[in-house]
Amino acid sequence: MTKVTMTVNGRAVSGEVEGRTLLSAFLREGLGLTGTHVGCDTSQCGACVVHVDGQPVKSCTVFASDVEGASVTTIEGMANPDGTLGRVQQAFQDHHGLQCGFCTPGMVMSAAALLAENPKPTEADVRHYLEGNICRCTGYHNIVKAVLAASGQDVSGLAAE
Amino acid sequence: MPKDHGIGASVKRREDVRFLMGLGNYTDDMAIAGQAHAVFVRSQVAHGRINKIDTADAAAMPGVLAVLTGEDFKDVGGNPTGWLINSRDGTPMREPKRPALAHGKVRHVGDAYAVVIAETYAQAKEAAEAIVADIEELPAIVDMAAAVADPSNRVHEEIPDNLCYDWGWIEDNRAAVDEAIKNAPHVTTLELVNNRLVPNAMEPRASIGEYFPGTGDYKLTTTSQNPHLTRLLIAAFVLGIPENKLTVVAPDVGGGFGSKIYHYGEEAVVLTAAKKLGRAVRWTAERSESFLSDAHGRDHVTRIELACEKDGTFIAFRTETMANVGAYLSNFATVTPTFLHGTLMAGPYKVPNVYVNVKTVFTNTAPVDAYRGAGRPEATYSLERVIDKMCRELGLDPFEVRRKNFITTDMFPYTTPVGLAYDTGDYHATLDKAMAMADVAGFEARRAASAAKGKLRGMGLSTWIEACGIAPSHLVGILGSRVGLYDAATVRVNATGNISVMTGAHSHGQGHETVFAQIVADKLGVPEASVEIVHGDTSKIPFGMGSYGSRSLAVCGSAVTRAIDKIVAKGKKIAAHMLEAAEEDIAFENGSFTVAGTDKAKTFGEIAFSAYVPHNYPLETLEPGLEETAFYDPANFTYPAGAYICEVEVDADTGKVDVVAFHCADDFGNIMNPMVVEGQVHGGVGQGIGQALCENTVYDENGQLLSGSYMDYAMPRADDVPFYNVDYSCQTPCTHNPLGAKGCGEAGAIGSPPAVVNAVIDALQRGGHSHVTHIDMPVSPARVWAAIQG
Amino acid sequence: MYAFDFEKPKTVAEAVEALSREDAMALGGGQTLIPSLKQHLAAPSALVSLTGIAEMRGVCTGTDGALCVGGATPHAVVATEAAAKYPALAALAGNIGDPAVRNRGTIGGSLANNDPAADYPAAVLGSGATIVTNTRSIAADDFFEGLFTTALEPGEIIVEVRFPIPQRAAYAKFQQPASRFALTGVFVAKTANGVRVAVTGASENGVFRWSEAEAALSADFSAEAIEGVSVPAEGMVGDLHGTPAYRANLVKVMTQRAVRAA
Ligand SMILES: Cc1cc2nc3c(=O)[nH]c(=O)nc-3n(C[C@H](O)[C@H](O)[C@H](O)COP(=O)(O)OP(=O)(O)OC[C@H]3O[C@@H](n4cnc5c(N)ncnc54)[C@H](O)[C@@H]3O)c2cc1C
Ligand code: FES
Ligand code: FES
């Protein structure tokens, strides 16, 4: 066991971890931040996406020790300071961008990262950026719509072609 | 202005807030003091005799608390099947025991034969590798035709031909159908495969068993779509725990799509281990375990014949299907390929004669059961593909052929030759709507534009119907069901006037917490915020059958409505007393009880308070309190229907298909929350496109699962699908439930696959590849390219 | 995962030292190694993370004009920082996996792993790049030795990859529908010394140079020039996602698309 220290959602945290402790496990089991989900064992589903120093990463595919000293943001850190839903979260609720909610934390974290890089993405940009986040419930329609809406674009009457 | 609350309003979902905040409470999120971790040991071979399992080394490893094998469960019950099917000759289906852990033989890759419970997950996992199993490999039975042909090789010793049953529907139609086909002016034949799918709810299955020695109570927290059914199965069949000593909780559940209807052996094992160890025992599937051990879906091989006049008027349909049930019978495995499939083989058409034969076969593969749509997608795919093929053979317009054959609105109620009584519908209306949405007339111009980009464009149609809102208990009882399929709700008006509604239905993405609250608030004239929906905990909810088969609203929603009716009726009695009026003179509207023709009134809250503080109350004739339960048993299925039009572009050089437009015109009867309905259709269509284009479950000849992870099982991603164009303005309300609602949860997955495949064939035909008349799903780039090469 | 020690050195020298321990393994972005550790496919005694070594991260221009990519540089950094100087490489890097994978996965890890369906090997072989390790420089033509095998010795670290800049280049990738690795990907580079064509995803022996196409394109750099050329299906991969014949077809189609895009 070694000690690892990082900032999670603006709060300095530390804990004893093994070399093999994944960031996802440190967040869920070590810190009780169970909003970050684990949906696969081959690093493909994206349910576990968090931000490390502002960049989206799959927390199931990073060792906690490897992000020593980093600043980590999880879904629990995405609300506004007054506790209301943040911009991306609110867009997901407004546009029914979630059903069972399991993929949602990763989707929101990926979407937020996209908008930070590209404030006015096209539909194709959104779909491409979310390539590593699998959702089984929504058929992606309302997720893509929510992300476009969160970027301030008009999404009324969206359909193919 | 669109409504902003109550029935028919797109109320935003209240459950979203916790999910978006990361505050959902899924099974794996729960940490229980003193918990131990279970890791299952699963067969690496598809078929083998277990000679010896040596657990000594594993048991001695650090942190290991217990090792259990099939031997420990051989004297308890097996996991039963909920539906008895009889073969054509009247003999009952073959029903092998399905133990919690494999005993004697392993029958598919992933069949669990032992479990290790340890202090930590890592310790359990390492110890699991130390178990030495002497398993003598037997030849794997993978191909259905071979399974039936070779009696020497058996999945279950007692079943010589690996056949569960040979079912005919309706057997009395058989001779007439044969005759009609023999004499028909035209017969189109199509052999097709309905590809096997892995449901892939994004939350893997997970279970936590607890035992409380002080009271002898058990608790199972599990990823279930129907906690009461799971409790019933464990209590009555598997472990014999008294039903009232077992609580089953299905908390937030991350999607089900059928795969979490069923009771699985892991649930029985964690409960047993929890008692043995006196500690909570938890297990969460790794995704690779889900691929190997969740119940899969579909997997039919079908030959369908369509007999018709030269003008496309249908005369008869005949199908022969082999349905793969896998190694064991999962809980609804026997009904899915039969009554959920054969009864739909008339579609929305006035075809005079239909006969369906289904042979259901055991193989050394994971169990197969209901997956979103369950039987109806298989029926719809067979029908809509063969109709499309017939239109091409006879040079007929696929839209006109549907129109010519549709059951018309003046024909309802309409009894089909496969035994369903459709109550209402308007198939012309949904087809007209879909054609308008799709701008069918403009297709030629779009095709030319695609051609200019070097792409072949095609358009495909599917007009679907399904039977859902499962199901009338009397009818299903006659057909072999071993359970009733009503649902239940309790409406508890609390003394302060707010309301708790306990439902048998379980929400794992459908949004019940919002939609049921809309219904209750609308009917009682109270704010939605004062209504709380409670589901998923057998210690709180009445005995209901849970959510699947697009039944939550049609069946449980009807139970909620009936319970509300009882609340209002009682409220009227209380109001009559308080207002000193006759009960018949009390009206209830907008949350207020009034005396007709006067301004005397009591609010709903005043009545509720009086019910709990009954000082001025008719105690001689009426019990205090304001809580009512209703069980609702539907009189019939509901029959949603619709028309789907898909447009694709095909890259002939690579075979890649892009869905560029998808239009859905559906009839779901009355709509409670349009936003939620759209979401259900989107999700279903997404899964249907997945089935049509990319998802496939492949076992090799040794029974090894080749598509056992997301590296090889192609889940549709955001960039594989377009925006969908969804409409539900054609509404013929269900005639027999109080909400006039039809199920909408499976529609998208039922109607979409044939629309996609028809569009691909259309694109190839128009593109000059007229030799391509069929491609099996998934219509992958490699298959399309190979088909073009001929 | 089996237990192991975790080390995060600051210099290449420290990393080499740490890797000299028996059964120690280098850890790049972990995007391949961590999933295989989860499956118990490897049991290292220690993992030596290379991501903290500043000298191994980033993109720069060498004195000879080559583009130098540090061995621990994530794909996302190459996608942005190489965009001006070597757009074909940047585009390839920007289309590996998904954004989260690109933020962690590194060029050194990808090359050391030499997955037969990985993208970078096509760029490295197609560009005629040089792989610089802690002990030597290895020409791309000598580096890839078949499926998941390379010329690297145990404990050897890819410190840098040097890409000479071609006159024109492009990468065309056809995705495997599930994993989204390359079902077939072709990197085409036109240099002063002729055209190089490197194919990934298709062959049973991993990335390879398609010499017939190189000859045809060196004579006439146009998609039409290889109309009459084809690769035999024999030796191509056949699996759930495509037959050898299908892959052979893709090799040609993707080569033509790369030429058109270059
Ligand atoms: C969801 C997903 C999608 C992906 N899609 C693609 C794709 O489309 N195309 C593609 O090409 N790849 C893809 N990858 C793989 C990805 O690019 C990996 O990042 C890469 O293959 C390995 O790089 P890494 O830095 O993560 O290496 P690691 O996983 O850390 O290591 C891989 C191997 O390389 C060794 N190693 C690491 N760094 C060095 C070094 N500097 N010197 C010597 N040895 C080293 C390690 O010891 C290990 O054996 C995908 C991965 C995932 C998870
Ligand atoms: S859990 Fe991390 S990608 Fe699936
Ligand atoms: S909302 Fe259920 S997986 Fe996306």
Short mmCIF file of all heavy atoms in Angstrom, two decimals, chain B residues 122 125-126 129 651 653-656 694 698 706-707 710-714 717 719-720 781-782 785, chain C residues 1-3 38 40 174-181 240-243 245-246 249-250 253-254 257:
data_model
loop_
_atom_site.label_atom_id
_atom_site.label_comp_id
_atom_site.label_asym_id
_atom_site.label_seq_id
_atom_site.Cartn_x
_atom_site.Cartn_y
_atom_site.Cartn_z
N ALA B 122 -10.20 -9.20 -5.07
CA ALA B 122 -8.95 -9.70 -5.67
C ALA B 122 -8.60 -11.07 -5.10
O ALA B 122 -8.16 -11.96 -5.83
CB ALA B 122 -7.82 -8.70 -5.43
N LYS B 125 -10.85 -13.62 -6.63
CA LYS B 125 -10.52 -13.85 -8.03
C LYS B 125 -9.27 -14.73 -8.16
O LYS B 125 -9.22 -15.64 -8.99
CB LYS B 125 -10.32 -12.50 -8.72
CG LYS B 125 -10.06 -12.62 -10.19
CD LYS B 125 -10.81 -11.58 -11.00
CE LYS B 125 -10.40 -11.76 -12.44
NZ LYS B 125 -11.33 -11.38 -13.42
N GLU B 126 -8.29 -14.47 -7.33
CA GLU B 126 -7.08 -15.28 -7.40
C GLU B 126 -7.35 -16.72 -6.94
O GLU B 126 -6.87 -17.67 -7.55
CB GLU B 126 -5.94 -14.64 -6.60
CG GLU B 126 -5.27 -13.56 -7.43
CD GLU B 126 -4.27 -12.70 -6.67
OE1 GLU B 126 -3.49 -13.26 -5.88
OE2 GLU B 126 -4.28 -11.47 -6.90
N GLU B 129 -8.92 -19.02 -9.48
CA GLU B 129 -8.00 -19.64 -10.44
C GLU B 129 -7.32 -20.87 -9.87
O GLU B 129 -6.75 -21.67 -10.61
CB GLU B 129 -6.94 -18.62 -10.88
CG GLU B 129 -7.53 -17.54 -11.74
CD GLU B 129 -6.50 -16.58 -12.30
OE1 GLU B 129 -5.33 -16.63 -11.87
OE2 GLU B 129 -6.88 -15.78 -13.15
N ASP B 651 -22.09 2.02 -49.45
CA ASP B 651 -20.82 2.21 -50.14
C ASP B 651 -20.47 0.84 -50.76
O ASP B 651 -20.07 -0.08 -50.05
CB ASP B 651 -19.77 2.64 -49.10
CG ASP B 651 -18.37 2.76 -49.69
OD1 ASP B 651 -18.15 2.29 -50.83
OD2 ASP B 651 -17.50 3.30 -48.99
N ASP B 653 -18.11 -0.21 -52.54
CA ASP B 653 -16.71 -0.65 -52.53
C ASP B 653 -16.33 -1.34 -51.22
O ASP B 653 -15.48 -2.23 -51.20
CB ASP B 653 -15.77 0.54 -52.73
CG ASP B 653 -15.91 1.11 -54.14
OD1 ASP B 653 -16.33 0.37 -55.04
OD2 ASP B 653 -15.62 2.31 -54.30
N THR B 654 -16.94 -0.88 -50.12
CA THR B 654 -16.60 -1.45 -48.82
C THR B 654 -17.76 -2.24 -48.22
O THR B 654 -17.58 -2.94 -47.23
CB THR B 654 -16.24 -0.35 -47.81
OG1 THR B 654 -17.39 0.49 -47.63
CG2 THR B 654 -15.08 0.50 -48.31
N GLY B 655 -18.95 -2.05 -48.76
CA GLY B 655 -20.14 -2.70 -48.20
C GLY B 655 -20.73 -1.98 -47.02
O GLY B 655 -21.70 -2.45 -46.41
N LYS B 656 -20.20 -0.82 -46.67
CA LYS B 656 -20.69 -0.14 -45.46
C LYS B 656 -22.05 0.50 -45.71
O LYS B 656 -22.28 1.14 -46.74
CB LYS B 656 -19.70 0.93 -45.03
CG LYS B 656 -20.10 1.59 -43.73
CD LYS B 656 -18.93 2.28 -43.06
CE LYS B 656 -19.22 2.67 -41.63
NZ LYS B 656 -20.39 3.47 -41.44
N CYS B 694 -25.15 -4.38 -37.13
CA CYS B 694 -23.84 -4.70 -36.55
C CYS B 694 -23.80 -5.77 -35.46
O CYS B 694 -22.78 -6.41 -35.30
CB CYS B 694 -23.15 -3.43 -36.07
SG CYS B 694 -24.08 -2.42 -34.93
N VAL B 698 -21.61 -14.84 -31.99
CA VAL B 698 -21.09 -15.96 -32.78
C VAL B 698 -20.37 -16.95 -31.87
O VAL B 698 -19.44 -16.60 -31.15
CB VAL B 698 -20.10 -15.45 -33.85
CG1 VAL B 698 -19.62 -16.60 -34.73
CG2 VAL B 698 -20.74 -14.36 -34.71
N LEU B 706 -17.18 -16.26 -29.79
CA LEU B 706 -16.18 -15.43 -30.47
C LEU B 706 -16.45 -13.94 -30.28
O LEU B 706 -15.55 -13.12 -30.40
CB LEU B 706 -16.15 -15.76 -31.97
CG LEU B 706 -15.80 -17.21 -32.32
CD1 LEU B 706 -15.80 -17.40 -33.83
CD2 LEU B 706 -14.45 -17.60 -31.73
N SER B 707 -17.70 -13.61 -30.03
CA SER B 707 -18.04 -12.19 -29.89
C SER B 707 -18.32 -11.89 -28.41
O SER B 707 -19.39 -11.44 -28.06
CB SER B 707 -19.26 -11.86 -30.73
OG SER B 707 -20.29 -12.80 -30.44
N TYR B 710 -16.82 -6.17 -26.13
CA TYR B 710 -17.10 -5.05 -27.05
C TYR B 710 -16.03 -4.91 -28.13
O TYR B 710 -16.17 -4.12 -29.05
CB TYR B 710 -17.25 -3.74 -26.28
CG TYR B 710 -18.44 -3.72 -25.36
CD1 TYR B 710 -18.35 -3.19 -24.08
CD2 TYR B 710 -19.67 -4.22 -25.77
CE1 TYR B 710 -19.45 -3.17 -23.23
CE2 TYR B 710 -20.77 -4.22 -24.93
CZ TYR B 710 -20.65 -3.68 -23.65
OH TYR B 710 -21.73 -3.68 -22.82
N MET B 711 -14.97 -5.69 -28.02
CA MET B 711 -13.97 -5.70 -29.08
C MET B 711 -14.51 -6.41 -30.32
O MET B 711 -14.06 -6.18 -31.43
CB MET B 711 -12.69 -6.43 -28.64
CG MET B 711 -11.95 -5.76 -27.50
SD MET B 711 -11.25 -4.18 -27.96
CE MET B 711 -9.75 -4.74 -28.79
N ASP B 712 -15.45 -7.34 -30.11
CA ASP B 712 -15.97 -8.11 -31.23
C ASP B 712 -17.49 -8.06 -31.37
O ASP B 712 -18.02 -8.40 -32.42
CB ASP B 712 -15.51 -9.57 -31.13
CG ASP B 712 -14.04 -9.70 -31.49
OD1 ASP B 712 -13.69 -9.34 -32.63
OD2 ASP B 712 -13.24 -10.11 -30.63
N TYR B 713 -18.17 -7.71 -30.30
CA TYR B 713 -19.62 -7.56 -30.37
C TYR B 713 -19.89 -6.08 -30.65
O TYR B 713 -19.59 -5.23 -29.82
CB TYR B 713 -20.28 -7.98 -29.06
CG TYR B 713 -21.79 -8.02 -29.16
CD1 TYR B 713 -22.45 -9.19 -29.51
CD2 TYR B 713 -22.55 -6.87 -28.94
CE1 TYR B 713 -23.83 -9.23 -29.62
CE2 TYR B 713 -23.94 -6.90 -29.06
CZ TYR B 713 -24.57 -8.08 -29.40
OH TYR B 713 -25.94 -8.10 -29.52
N ALA B 714 -20.39 -5.80 -31.83
CA ALA B 714 -20.49 -4.41 -32.26
C ALA B 714 -21.75 -3.74 -31.72
O ALA B 714 -22.84 -3.94 -32.25
CB ALA B 714 -20.45 -4.32 -33.78
N ARG B 717 -22.93 2.73 -31.86
CA ARG B 717 -22.40 3.93 -31.17
C ARG B 717 -23.11 5.15 -31.73
O ARG B 717 -23.81 5.08 -32.74
CB ARG B 717 -20.90 4.05 -31.43
CG ARG B 717 -20.11 2.77 -31.27
CD ARG B 717 -19.70 2.54 -29.84
NE ARG B 717 -18.94 1.29 -29.76
CZ ARG B 717 -17.70 1.22 -29.26
NH1 ARG B 717 -17.09 2.29 -28.82
NH2 ARG B 717 -17.09 0.05 -29.20
N ASP B 719 -22.20 7.45 -33.55
CA ASP B 719 -21.99 7.79 -34.96
C ASP B 719 -22.45 6.70 -35.92
O ASP B 719 -22.21 6.78 -37.11
CB ASP B 719 -20.52 8.16 -35.21
CG ASP B 719 -19.56 7.03 -34.86
OD1 ASP B 719 -20.02 5.98 -34.38
OD2 ASP B 719 -18.35 7.20 -35.06
N ASP B 720 -23.14 5.68 -35.38
CA ASP B 720 -23.71 4.65 -36.26
C ASP B 720 -25.16 4.95 -36.61
O ASP B 720 -25.76 4.22 -37.40
CB ASP B 720 -23.69 3.28 -35.57
CG ASP B 720 -22.28 2.71 -35.49
OD1 ASP B 720 -21.52 2.88 -36.45
OD2 ASP B 720 -21.96 2.08 -34.45
N PRO B 781 -20.66 -4.70 -43.25
CA PRO B 781 -19.96 -4.33 -44.48
C PRO B 781 -19.46 -5.56 -45.23
O PRO B 781 -19.63 -5.67 -46.45
CB PRO B 781 -18.78 -3.48 -43.97
CG PRO B 781 -19.27 -2.91 -42.67
CD PRO B 781 -20.18 -3.95 -42.09
N ALA B 782 -18.89 -6.51 -44.51
CA ALA B 782 -18.34 -7.69 -45.18
C ALA B 782 -19.42 -8.47 -45.89
O ALA B 782 -19.22 -8.98 -47.00
CB ALA B 782 -17.61 -8.57 -44.16
N TRP B 785 -20.68 -6.51 -49.00
CA TRP B 785 -19.68 -6.59 -50.07
C TRP B 785 -19.71 -7.98 -50.71
O TRP B 785 -19.72 -8.11 -51.94
CB TRP B 785 -18.29 -6.27 -49.51
CG TRP B 785 -17.23 -6.33 -50.57
CD1 TRP B 785 -16.92 -5.37 -51.48
CD2 TRP B 785 -16.37 -7.45 -50.85
NE1 TRP B 785 -15.92 -5.81 -52.30
CE2 TRP B 785 -15.56 -7.07 -51.94
CE3 TRP B 785 -16.20 -8.72 -50.29
CZ2 TRP B 785 -14.60 -7.93 -52.48
CZ3 TRP B 785 -15.25 -9.57 -50.82
CH2 TRP B 785 -14.46 -9.17 -51.90
N MET C 1 -6.73 -8.31 -11.43
CA MET C 1 -5.30 -8.02 -11.60
C MET C 1 -4.50 -8.61 -10.45
O MET C 1 -4.92 -8.52 -9.31
CB MET C 1 -5.10 -6.50 -11.59
CG MET C 1 -5.07 -5.90 -12.96
SD MET C 1 -4.80 -4.13 -12.88
CE MET C 1 -6.46 -3.54 -12.59
N TYR C 2 -3.37 -9.17 -10.79
CA TYR C 2 -2.45 -9.60 -9.74
C TYR C 2 -1.76 -8.37 -9.17
O TYR C 2 -1.66 -7.33 -9.84
CB TYR C 2 -1.40 -10.56 -10.31
CG TYR C 2 -1.98 -11.81 -10.91
CD1 TYR C 2 -1.86 -12.07 -12.27
CD2 TYR C 2 -2.64 -12.75 -10.10
CE1 TYR C 2 -2.39 -13.23 -12.84
CE2 TYR C 2 -3.17 -13.91 -10.66
CZ TYR C 2 -3.04 -14.14 -12.01
OH TYR C 2 -3.56 -15.28 -12.57
N ALA C 3 -1.25 -8.51 -7.97
CA ALA C 3 -0.60 -7.36 -7.33
C ALA C 3 0.76 -7.10 -7.98
O ALA C 3 1.42 -8.01 -8.49
CB ALA C 3 -0.43 -7.63 -5.85
N LYS C 38 -6.27 -6.94 -16.38
CA LYS C 38 -7.56 -7.33 -15.79
C LYS C 38 -7.91 -8.76 -16.15
O LYS C 38 -8.52 -9.47 -15.37
CB LYS C 38 -8.68 -6.40 -16.29
CG LYS C 38 -8.65 -5.01 -15.71
CD LYS C 38 -9.82 -4.20 -16.25
CE LYS C 38 -9.69 -2.74 -15.87
NZ LYS C 38 -10.71 -1.89 -16.54
N HIS C 40 -5.88 -11.07 -16.46
CA HIS C 40 -4.80 -11.93 -15.94
C HIS C 40 -3.92 -12.47 -17.06
O HIS C 40 -3.41 -13.58 -16.98
CB HIS C 40 -5.38 -13.07 -15.10
CG HIS C 40 -5.81 -12.62 -13.73
ND1 HIS C 40 -6.24 -13.49 -12.76
CD2 HIS C 40 -5.87 -11.40 -13.16
CE1 HIS C 40 -6.56 -12.82 -11.66
NE2 HIS C 40 -6.35 -11.54 -11.89
N PHE C 174 -10.51 1.81 -42.48
CA PHE C 174 -11.85 1.24 -42.43
C PHE C 174 -11.99 0.55 -41.08
O PHE C 174 -11.24 -0.37 -40.76
CB PHE C 174 -12.10 0.25 -43.57
CG PHE C 174 -13.54 -0.12 -43.69
CD1 PHE C 174 -14.42 0.72 -44.36
CD2 PHE C 174 -14.03 -1.26 -43.09
CE1 PHE C 174 -15.78 0.40 -44.44
CE2 PHE C 174 -15.38 -1.59 -43.16
CZ PHE C 174 -16.25 -0.76 -43.84
N GLN C 175 -12.94 1.03 -40.28
CA GLN C 175 -13.03 0.56 -38.90
C GLN C 175 -13.64 -0.83 -38.79
O GLN C 175 -14.62 -1.14 -39.46
CB GLN C 175 -13.92 1.50 -38.09
CG GLN C 175 -13.27 2.82 -37.78
CD GLN C 175 -14.19 3.70 -36.93
OE1 GLN C 175 -15.38 3.45 -36.82
NE2 GLN C 175 -13.62 4.72 -36.34
N GLN C 176 -13.09 -1.62 -37.89
CA GLN C 176 -13.74 -2.84 -37.48
C GLN C 176 -14.98 -2.38 -36.71
O GLN C 176 -14.88 -1.49 -35.86
CB GLN C 176 -12.77 -3.64 -36.60
CG GLN C 176 -13.15 -5.08 -36.35
CD GLN C 176 -13.72 -5.25 -34.97
OE1 GLN C 176 -14.64 -4.55 -34.58
NE2 GLN C 176 -13.17 -6.19 -34.21
N PRO C 177 -16.17 -2.92 -37.01
CA PRO C 177 -17.39 -2.33 -36.46
C PRO C 177 -17.47 -2.35 -34.93
O PRO C 177 -18.10 -1.48 -34.35
CB PRO C 177 -18.51 -3.18 -37.06
CG PRO C 177 -17.91 -3.88 -38.24
CD PRO C 177 -16.45 -4.00 -37.97
N ALA C 178 -16.86 -3.31 -34.28
CA ALA C 178 -16.97 -3.38 -32.82
C ALA C 178 -15.85 -2.62 -32.13
O ALA C 178 -16.10 -1.65 -31.42
CB ALA C 178 -16.97 -4.84 -32.38
N SER C 179 -14.62 -3.02 -32.36
CA SER C 179 -13.50 -2.43 -31.62
C SER C 179 -13.11 -1.06 -32.15
O SER C 179 -12.54 -0.25 -31.46
CB SER C 179 -12.28 -3.33 -31.72
OG SER C 179 -11.75 -3.27 -33.04
N ARG C 180 -13.40 -0.83 -33.41
CA ARG C 180 -13.06 0.40 -34.11
C ARG C 180 -11.55 0.57 -34.33
O ARG C 180 -11.09 1.64 -34.66
CB ARG C 180 -13.66 1.60 -33.40
CG ARG C 180 -15.15 1.37 -33.41
CD ARG C 180 -15.94 2.42 -32.80
NE ARG C 180 -17.29 2.24 -33.32
CZ ARG C 180 -17.97 3.17 -33.96
NH1 ARG C 180 -17.48 4.35 -34.13
NH2 ARG C 180 -19.17 2.93 -34.39
N PHE C 181 -10.81 -0.48 -34.09
CA PHE C 181 -9.45 -0.53 -34.60
C PHE C 181 -9.57 -0.62 -36.13
O PHE C 181 -10.66 -0.64 -36.67
CB PHE C 181 -8.72 -1.78 -34.07
CG PHE C 181 -8.16 -1.64 -32.68
CD1 PHE C 181 -8.98 -1.46 -31.58
CD2 PHE C 181 -6.79 -1.70 -32.46
CE1 PHE C 181 -8.47 -1.35 -30.30
CE2 PHE C 181 -6.26 -1.58 -31.18
CZ PHE C 181 -7.09 -1.41 -30.10
N LEU C 240 -14.70 -12.91 -37.77
CA LEU C 240 -16.12 -12.53 -37.75
C LEU C 240 -16.40 -11.32 -38.61
O LEU C 240 -17.52 -11.12 -39.04
CB LEU C 240 -16.57 -12.04 -36.36
CG LEU C 240 -16.28 -12.68 -35.08
CD1 LEU C 240 -17.01 -11.93 -33.99
CD2 LEU C 240 -16.77 -14.05 -35.20
N HIS C 241 -15.41 -10.47 -38.73
CA HIS C 241 -15.67 -9.16 -39.33
C HIS C 241 -15.35 -9.11 -40.81
O HIS C 241 -15.61 -8.10 -41.46
CB HIS C 241 -14.89 -8.09 -38.56
CG HIS C 241 -15.16 -8.14 -37.10
ND1 HIS C 241 -16.37 -7.76 -36.57
CD2 HIS C 241 -14.42 -8.60 -36.07
CE1 HIS C 241 -16.35 -7.97 -35.25
NE2 HIS C 241 -15.18 -8.48 -34.92
N GLY C 242 -14.79 -10.17 -41.34
CA GLY C 242 -14.53 -10.17 -42.76
C GLY C 242 -13.66 -11.33 -43.18
O GLY C 242 -12.80 -11.80 -42.43
N THR C 243 -13.89 -11.77 -44.39
CA THR C 243 -13.09 -12.87 -44.95
C THR C 243 -11.77 -12.32 -45.47
O THR C 243 -11.61 -11.09 -45.62
CB THR C 243 -13.83 -13.49 -46.15
OG1 THR C 243 -14.07 -12.43 -47.09
CG2 THR C 243 -15.16 -14.11 -45.74
N ALA C 245 -10.79 -12.46 -48.47
CA ALA C 245 -11.08 -11.79 -49.75
C ALA C 245 -11.59 -10.37 -49.51
O ALA C 245 -11.25 -9.43 -50.23
CB ALA C 245 -12.10 -12.59 -50.54
N TYR C 246 -12.42 -10.23 -48.48
CA TYR C 246 -12.94 -8.90 -48.16
C TYR C 246 -11.82 -7.96 -47.76
O TYR C 246 -11.73 -6.82 -48.22
CB TYR C 246 -13.98 -9.02 -47.05
CG TYR C 246 -14.55 -7.69 -46.62
CD1 TYR C 246 -15.25 -6.89 -47.52
CD2 TYR C 246 -14.39 -7.22 -45.31
CE1 TYR C 246 -15.78 -5.67 -47.14
CE2 TYR C 246 -14.91 -6.00 -44.92
CZ TYR C 246 -15.61 -5.22 -45.84
OH TYR C 246 -16.12 -4.01 -45.46
N ASN C 249 -9.80 -6.87 -50.67
CA ASN C 249 -10.50 -5.79 -51.38
C ASN C 249 -10.30 -4.46 -50.66
O ASN C 249 -10.03 -3.43 -51.28
CB ASN C 249 -11.99 -6.13 -51.46
CG ASN C 249 -12.83 -4.94 -51.89
OD1 ASN C 249 -12.71 -4.47 -53.01
ND2 ASN C 249 -13.64 -4.42 -50.98
N LEU C 250 -10.43 -4.50 -49.32
CA LEU C 250 -10.29 -3.24 -48.57
C LEU C 250 -8.89 -2.65 -48.72
O LEU C 250 -8.73 -1.43 -48.72
CB LEU C 250 -10.58 -3.47 -47.09
CG LEU C 250 -12.05 -3.59 -46.67
CD1 LEU C 250 -12.13 -3.76 -45.16
CD2 LEU C 250 -12.86 -2.38 -47.12
N VAL C 253 -9.08 -0.71 -51.89
CA VAL C 253 -10.01 0.43 -51.81
C VAL C 253 -9.43 1.52 -50.89
O VAL C 253 -9.44 2.71 -51.22
CB VAL C 253 -11.39 -0.04 -51.30
CG1 VAL C 253 -12.29 1.15 -51.01
CG2 VAL C 253 -12.04 -0.96 -52.33
N MET C 254 -8.89 1.10 -49.77
CA MET C 254 -8.35 2.08 -48.82
C MET C 254 -7.08 2.73 -49.37
O MET C 254 -6.81 3.90 -49.10
CB MET C 254 -8.09 1.42 -47.46
CG MET C 254 -9.36 1.05 -46.72
SD MET C 254 -10.41 2.47 -46.33
CE MET C 254 -11.92 1.98 -47.10
N ARG C 257 -8.26 5.37 -51.65
CA ARG C 257 -8.81 6.51 -50.91
C ARG C 257 -7.69 7.34 -50.28
O ARG C 257 -7.78 8.57 -50.22
CB ARG C 257 -9.81 6.02 -49.86
CG ARG C 257 -11.06 5.52 -50.57
CD ARG C 257 -12.18 5.12 -49.64
NE ARG C 257 -13.26 4.60 -50.50
CZ ARG C 257 -14.41 4.12 -50.06
NH1 ARG C 257 -14.67 4.09 -48.77
NH2 ARG C 257 -15.32 3.68 -50.91
#
